[in-house]
Amino acid sequence: MEKQTDTSASSYAGKRAHLAMVFFVLLAAGLFVWRPDNLYLWIKALHIVAVISWMAGLFYLPRLFIYHADAEPGSVQSETFKVMEHRLLRIIMNPAMMLTWIFGLYLAWSVHGFQGGWLHAKIGLVVALTAVHIFFGRAVRVFARDGNRHSARYWRFMNEAPTLLMIVIVILVVVKPF
Ligand code: HEM
């Protein structure tokens, strides 16, 4: 009963996230057709929205792993974590990561012509962030078959990776130290 309630709540959240994504993609497509003078600023705004959504997932998913690692395989809690992890990855994180890349590469090409030490360093660190995303995605599949062998402490430690990368990435793009 408890599981059913949680699944339907998560399915409602999934529908809302789909609607938000459709709105977001339509807005982006409309901007490319309309081509306002300040298109760069519009794309930067969309880039930041996508970044926030991606980072929210990268922070929350390992928190779910921390509690999931201590849940009894086959228990209601464990099955609920599986649904939450799967939906977070598929509905929020994967699309947000793709949109962050698309808008980020547009910004890098349109005004900066892919030039600048800060930009190269930033792209390098975003590649590392993407590797963390793929690693977490694999962990979702391992948890789904009750195959996780790592402790909650391990996941607490892994939780810090996206935080550290994000801090350096934001300093690079705002301060542009080199
Ligand atoms: C996916 C690859 C990415 C590329 C190619 C990229 C590239 C860019 C570029 C070229 C700008 C415009 C900078 C300017 O003209 O001042 C920008 C803005 C920004 N990016 Fe990214 N970015 C990427 C991912 C990310 C990620 C992962 C984060 C955060 C963790 C991030 C955070 C920001 C922020 C906060 C701004 C606004 C900076 C400002 O206006 O001062 N970006 N990005």
Side-chain angles (χ1 to χ4, degrees), residues 40 44 47-48 51 54-55 97 100-109 111-112 114 118-119 122-123 126 129-130 165-167 169-170 173-174 176:
Y40 178 78
K44 187 144 87 171
H47 176 63
I48 293 171
V51 163
W54 186 24
M55 294 312 303
M97 178 188 65
T100 299
W101 269 105
I102 291 168
F103 295 134
L105 288 175
Y106 174 84
L107 294 172
W109 163 74
V111 164
H112 300 283
F114 287 110
W118 64 272
L119 182 58
K122 178 183 174 174
I123 291 176
V126 182
L129 200 60
T130 305
L165 285 167
M166 179 211 57
I167 291 169
I169 289 170
V170 170
V173 73
V174 174
K176 299 185 178 61

